[in-house]
Amino acid sequence: MKRALSNPLALSGFIIIASIFVLALAAPIIAPFDPEAIDVKAILLSPSMQHLMGTDGLGRDVFSRMLFGARISLLVGIVAVGIATAIGIVLGAISGYYRGWVDVVIMRFVDVMLSIPTFFLILAVIAFLTPSIWNIMIVIGLTSWMGVTRMVRAEFLSLRGREFVLAAETLGAKDARLIFKHLLPNSLTPIIVSSVLGVASAVLVESGLSFLGLGVQAPQASWGNILTDGKEYIQFAWWLSLFPGLAILITVLGYNLLGEGLRDALDPRT
Amino acid sequence: MSGYLLKRLFWMLPLLIGISLISFLIMHLAPGDITSTEASFNPKASEESRQKLRAIYNLDKPVIVQYGLWMKRMVTLDFGTSFASHQRPVFWQTKDKDGNVSKGMIQEALPITLLINVLSLVLIIAVALPLGVISALNQNRAPDRAITLFVFIGFAIPGFWLALMLMYWTGVVHNWLPISGIHSLGFEKMSWIAQAADSLKHLALPIFISSLGGLAGISLFVRNGMLDVLHQDYITTARAKGLSENTVVYRHALRNALLPLITILGLSIPGLIGGAVIAESIFAIPGMGKLFYDAVMMRDFPVIMGILTIGSALTLLGNLLADVAYAWADPRVRRGVMQ
């Protein structure tokens, strides 16, 4: 952990993400207005001291909506990647540890899933479900586990041949002990790095889906759907489009910096 | 080599069947079909007429029977006709008995998406290669830092947001570029030069947007590949022989660093096809992404299945092409494949 935070990339990423987390958690305290309160006397006001990021077409305060939207982006990113990583670890571990026909079946399934253009797959599933934040998380999770599976499998395959694992096996360690005590802990670094980078892409996918109207539904705010509103008013109200995009950019940048930094810091080869 | 090719082509078949089965199940898992989306447009549609319609489209049969029927038609490459768009053929044009040709939906949409993707790939390679090389040759100096910053921003920037901003900047504020569609009015009457210029103007922003992520990824990839290769023994040997720095960098290092790029380009195909959905919907481009989005919204099953199947087949072909190109470029791999 210390080594990871002394890496400048990881540190700057960590600071960015931590600040966004604080803002999102403290949203009810910081937000100057109710994010869903409509005010017809304050429609499309440009940014001012009272409305830091202006107001939208229904007179709602964009800054307050941005703060609450941050909660959605962070939550979706983490839960979706949690689901994908869990599936990836289980399937990858089974594949890499037991090998044989189970491995063949799982790997061919991975091939099939990877051959379907990802965004089409997500779109096909999400459009058939009622759009909600929970469905978004589940669908992103269920369509992004393939990379982790391949990685965990490759780690297991290479670790299986190492002396310390052979030693444990010779001493009569059971499957579960080998997997959970020896193989999995030694595969954690690449799993952590890929999860952090995965959160970045999940945040992007969520905002894209919300932008298409398939994500978080109004009146609840998410960065993606503030942008969708912004699209309608782009000729008169640039602030509606500028701020949510910047927020997504900074969040994704933060996760990418953290992930790349962790990779540099934790990889013994560099 | 041809034996290897045949084997790979043969393996695509079970993969495609798997893909189609999964797509089919996903489609039918969720409630709703074309009759419910059409009924929402026409509230007068009675339950009885809906049932009749379901029977016509075979939607009343069990999923596995429907899949069987679909597969039976697929054997003759018959993708069927669209539920939503007046029975238009999904894939390729057909002639009715009066000799009227009705164009296939994918037939019209695919060339547009392919054109955008091929041009973005050209742009990606033309820009990312020099960036990656410059970055590697100046490791940890100012140019490298600047390019790395660009790479990180390129990865993080939401394409649809940049698209909106650029649309606003170039189309609304300055009126430089058209902001939607693929042709201006009166396109048919223009000379071919004017036609090409008009298309390019319409496609400039979409191409730029869809190449951004790839630009960042490939520059980073070329940089890291170059750095790896530059530390190899044979580069030291080349330098020790007294070869000029240019020969070392471009003949010895770059050519080897580029090899894995072939695989990366092959793997990026599904992203390019799928990533077009948002760009196409923003710029109102009638490509595969837009077609898919509309089909999904209407629960137009034959169109959804057609696009998923063709998109996946293109992806598999792309991967195969990448592997073949790799074997062609790298004698070590070629020998491995032959054995």
Side-chain angles (χ1 to χ4, degrees), chain B residues 2-45:
Chain B
S2 60
Y4 167 75
L5 259 179
L6 276 178
K7 207 169 93 186
R8 285 288 304 266
L9 278 173
F10 175 78
W11 260 106
M12 278 175 64
L13 217 67
L15 273 180
L16 275 174
I17 294 173
I19 290 163
S20 69
L21 188 62
I22 289 175
S23 315
F24 213 87
L25 289 178
I26 288 174
M27 258 183 0
H28 286 86
L29 268 181
D33 55 41
I34 181 76
T35 64
S36 52
T37 49
E38 288 205 324
S40 60
F41 288 120
N42 179 11
K44 277 183 274 180

Side-chain angles (χ1 to χ4, degrees), chain B residues 150-192:
Chain B
F150 161 78
V151 165
F152 269 103
I153 292 180
F155 272 135
I157 205 158
F160 56 95
W161 174 68
L162 188 66
L164 269 181
M165 293 283 115
L166 286 176
M167 230 165 105
Y168 177 67
W169 183 247
T170 63
V172 180
V173 178
H174 291 287
N175 218 355
W176 290 330
L177 291 169
I179 56 170
S180 73
I182 50 169
H183 298 314
S184 304
L185 282 172
F187 180 78
E188 294 79 10
K189 296 197 193 92
M190 294 178 192
S191 68
W192 68 269

Side-chain angles (χ1 to χ4, degrees), chain A residues 126-203:
Chain A
I126 204 78
F128 292 149
L129 303 168
T130 36
S132 79
I133 172 171
W134 297 106
N135 282 336
I136 291 247
M137 294 181 207
I138 295 170
V139 170
I140 298 178
L142 287 181
T143 47
S144 53
W145 49 269
M146 293 83 80
V148 192
T149 307
R150 278 192 168 170
M151 201 181 62
V152 172
R153 173 180 177 270
E155 285 292 319
F156 270 45
L157 284 179
S158 85
L159 286 172
R160 263 319 284 270
R162 299 272 286 276
E163 288 86 354
F164 71 94
V165 180
L166 289 178
E169 211 175 344
T170 323
L171 288 173
K174 293 211 174 67
D175 286 1
R177 192 180 164 79
L178 272 178
I179 292 175
F180 292 108
K181 277 267 168 203
H182 297 283
L183 296 170
L184 204 50
N186 282 294
S187 321
L188 272 185
T189 304
I191 296 176
I192 292 172
V193 170
S194 91
S195 309
V196 175
L197 295 175
V199 176
S201 65
V203 169

Side-chain angles (χ1 to χ4, degrees), chain B residues 256-323:
Chain B
N256 282 295
L258 287 188
L259 280 176
L261 193 65
I262 299 173
T263 313
I264 296 283
L265 286 178
L267 287 176
S268 66
I269 291 174
L272 281 174
I273 298 174
V277 180
I278 299 179
E280 287 180 4
S281 90
I282 291 177
F283 293 108
I285 292 169
M288 293 283 273
K290 179 93 177 35
L291 185 63
F292 188 74
Y293 180 77
D294 293 342
V296 160
M297 286 303 150
M298 286 300 293
R299 307 274 201 277
D300 196 342
F301 290 159
V303 179
I304 299 174
M305 282 307 292
I307 293 176
L308 283 176
T309 313
I310 290 183
S312 313
L314 283 178
T315 307
L316 291 176
L317 272 178
N319 292 346
L320 177 60
L321 253 158
D323 288 354

Side-chain angles (χ1 to χ4, degrees), chain A residues 11 80 108 116 175 254:
Chain A
L11 186 65
R108 289 296 84 78
I116 309 178
D175 286 1

Side-chain angles (χ1 to χ4, degrees), chain B residues 1-250:
Chain B
M1 195 71 193
S2 60
Y4 167 75
L5 259 179
L6 276 178
K7 207 169 93 186
R8 285 288 304 266
L9 278 173
F10 175 78
W11 260 106
M12 278 175 64
L13 217 67
L15 273 180
L16 275 174
I17 294 173
I19 290 163
S20 69
L21 188 62
I22 289 175
S23 315
F24 213 87
L25 289 178
I26 288 174
M27 258 183 0
H28 286 86
L29 268 181
D33 55 41
I34 181 76
T35 64
S36 52
T37 49
E38 288 205 324
S40 60
F41 288 120
N42 179 11
K44 277 183 274 180
S46 67
E47 186 56 40
E48 188 191 349
S49 67
R50 282 183 57 186
Q51 288 308 333
K52 249 186 226 157
L53 204 57
R54 289 174 64 88
I56 294 175
Y57 290 146
N58 288 320
L59 291 171
D60 51 347
K61 303 193 174 56
V63 176
I64 200 69
V65 175
Q66 289 187 47
Y67 182 71
L69 288 168
W70 182 82
M71 210 56 208
K72 209 171 110 189
R73 279 192 283 110
M74 278 306 298
V75 173
T76 57
L77 284 181
D78 175 9
F79 283 77
T81 54
S82 158
F83 287 169
S85 316
H86 309 288
Q87 301 291 317
R88 282 184 57 190
V90 169
F91 181 50
W92 209 252
Q93 61 192 33
T94 51
K95 249 187 216 170
D96 64 9
K97 49 189 180 300
D98 304 325
N100 298 323
V101 177
S102 116
K103 287 249 182 180
M105 295 170 93
I106 293 178
Q107 180 190 8
E108 283 188 336
L110 188 59
I112 298 170
T113 300
L114 281 182
L115 178 69
I116 294 178
N117 283 331
V118 169
L119 291 179
S120 340
L121 267 182
V122 172
L123 183 69
I124 288 173
I125 293 172
V127 178
L129 262 184
L131 281 187
V133 173
I134 293 170
S135 211
L137 294 180
N138 295 287
Q139 192 187 5
N140 294 334
R141 285 200 295 266
D144 182 32
R145 299 246 185 251
I147 292 169
T148 309
L149 183 71
F150 161 78
V151 165
F152 269 103
I153 292 180
F155 272 135
I157 205 158
F160 56 95
W161 174 68
L162 188 66
L164 269 181
M165 293 283 115
L166 286 176
M167 230 165 105
Y168 177 67
W169 183 247
T170 63
V172 180
V173 178
H174 291 287
N175 218 355
W176 290 330
L177 291 169
I179 56 170
S180 73
I182 50 169
H183 298 314
S184 304
L185 282 172
F187 180 78
E188 294 79 10
K189 296 197 193 92
M190 294 178 192
S191 68
W192 68 269
I193 300 175
Q195 280 192 344
D198 184 62
S199 304
L200 206 62
K201 259 168 117 178
H202 278 89
L203 293 180
L205 279 183
I207 290 171
F208 175 67
I209 297 295
S210 48
S211 40
L212 202 69
L215 268 180
I218 303 286
S219 336
L220 187 66
F221 189 81
V222 172
R223 171 188 185 269
N224 293 343
M226 278 296 279
L227 285 178
D228 266 358
V229 172
L230 285 172
H231 290 120
Q232 299 284 328
D233 290 343
Y234 59 82
I235 296 296
T236 317
T237 312
R239 288 216 171 98
K241 280 199 301 193
L243 292 178
S244 74
E245 190 59 22
N246 271 336
T247 317
V248 173
V249 170
Y250 295 103

